[in-house]
Amino acid sequence: MHAEWHRAEPRPFVARAYGGVVIDDRRRVLLREPTNHFGGYCWTFAKGGADEGESPSDAALREVREETGWACEAIAEIDGWFVGTTSDTKFFLMAPLEDHGDFHHETASVRWASFEEAAELIAQTTVGGGRERDLAVLAAAAAMLSHPSGRVGAR
């Protein structure tokens, strides 16, 4: 694990965000392309802050739906917090349920990629902290799937 991008607990006084790593039954990862590569991100995971009273998993599910158009099921919490440039993020492993086909204007496009392709796409991000954080998230998701109890896929 990339120790500098992964922590057991979030940093104090840093914003918290929640996101999803969506993996289909073909072991492909769903990535989003931020509009105009906002913040230097070329391809990344859906994530964002929680609304008041919203649980972490519900916030992650909402962010995935808003930013990718996909309704999903949260399968498992990915261990720890992932350090970004503006927030510490808790990610959830998710399975896709339904593509609603619409996503927020903050997203230019979405695409499914193998883990290898996803790493190559994420590596295009120009902001080092975000790129390294997302690669650490991808590695953590892959490690969870390699565990005998790892399961994903549409229902």
Side-chain angles (χ1 to χ4, degrees):
M1 184 72 57
H2 306 259
E4 62 272 24
W5 309 110
H6 184 255
R7 303 172 51 89
E9 297 294 329
R11 296 172 292 173
F13 311 112
V14 173
R16 293 180 185 174
Y18 305 93
V21 179
V22 182
I23 302 172
D24 70 6
D25 57 356
R26 294 171 49 195
R27 302 276 173 149
R28 296 179 305 167
V29 181
L30 183 64
L31 294 175
R32 63 178 285 269
E33 179 186 20
T35 300
N36 298 319
H37 292 173
F38 181 78
Y41 287 89
C42 292
W43 293 94
T44 189
F45 300 104
K47 60 195 163 294
D51 291 338
E52 188 171 337
E54 193 173 40
S55 73
S57 61
D58 286 344
L61 288 164
R62 177 184 48 76
E63 288 292 337
V64 167
R65 170 63 180 86
E66 289 176 358
E67 294 183 357
T68 70
W70 278 88
C72 295
E73 173 187 15
I75 301 297
E77 183 177 302
I78 298 175
D79 188 45
W81 290 81
F82 292 84
V83 176
T85 53
T86 60
S87 65
D88 287 357
T89 305
K90 167 64 68 184
F91 283 92
F92 293 83
L93 196 61
M94 297 182 180
L97 297 175
E98 182 180 3
D99 181 4
H100 291 273
D102 62 327
F103 42 79
H104 195 272
H105 67 84
E106 295 174 346
T107 299
S109 65
V110 297
R111 73 175 281 188
W112 291 98
S114 69
F115 274 85
E116 182 178 294
E117 292 167 329
E120 292 171 2
L121 292 167
I122 290 168
Q124 295 174 17
T125 290
T126 59
V127 59
R131 178 182 58 244
E132 296 306 319
R133 188 255 343 264
D134 285 352
L135 289 170
V137 171
L138 185 66
M144 286 181 72
L145 292 179
S146 68
H147 189 272
S149 65
R151 68 174 183 88
V152 296
R155 305 278 175 257

